[in-house]
Amino acid sequence: MFFGQKQAEVEINDLLFDGEEVVGHYKLVQDFICLTSKRIIFVDKAITSNKRAIISIPYDNVESVEMERGKTFSIGHEFTIVTKKKDYDIHLAKDADPNDFYRTLSKHICA
């Protein structure tokens, strides 16, 4: 369980629609990302602002996922989610499991 996980679970549940289920959620450097049975819900707080963005990306809109490896002094695990309109840089916290995130996300994209 990560710091703020209970709050994240409440916030995630408020965003789900009927029949949608959480299949995984992961701590980011600033907030969290959730993988559901239908989409990616990415909640991010800008470092320099009190504003938070909630982004919903249906799996059908994801073209690819890039996982960066090899950075020794990184603050987290870096991913890029590429969609037709925009690329999203995701920074999982160091204690998050990058392989589980990649595997779960890839499974839903390729389904």
Side-chain angles (χ1 to χ4, degrees):
M1 182 186 304
F2 58 82
F3 178 77
Q5 182 174 352
K6 292 286 187 201
Q7 180 182 352
E9 289 174 357
V10 169
E11 190 166 351
I12 290 166
N13 286 329
D14 288 343
L15 299 172
L16 299 179
F17 53 81
D18 290 341
E20 186 176 22
E21 298 177 6
V22 173
V23 296
H25 53 83
Y26 305 86
K27 181 179 177 187
L28 299 177
V29 173
Q30 286 294 314
D31 222 307
F32 66 91
I33 188 167
C34 173
L35 305 178
T36 77
S37 54
K38 304 287 183 187
R39 59 190 166 141
I40 303 163
I41 302 172
F42 171 65
V43 181
D44 192 22
K45 180 179 177 183
I47 294 173
T48 60
S49 172
N50 289 332
K51 294 180 183 179
R52 297 175 73 206
I54 299 174
I55 301 165
S56 177
I57 307 169
Y59 291 122
D60 289 346
N61 291 354
V62 178
E63 293 185 341
S64 66
V65 178
E66 301 167 6
M67 178 169 62
E68 190 169 321
R69 293 185 178 260
K71 287 191 173 181
T72 305
F73 299 107
S74 175
I75 61 172
H77 309 284
E78 296 181 29
F79 291 83
T80 302
I81 297 174
V82 179
T83 68
K84 295 175 176 109
K85 292 187 178 186
K86 185 175 178 179
D87 295 354
Y88 297 92
D89 292 323
I90 307 295
H91 301 277
L92 292 183
K94 268 212 187 264
D95 59 347
D97 183 348
N99 292 327
D100 182 63
F101 175 76
Y102 184 78
R103 189 173 34 255
T104 304
L105 181 54
S106 295
K107 176 182 171 184
H108 284 81
I109 292 168
C110 295

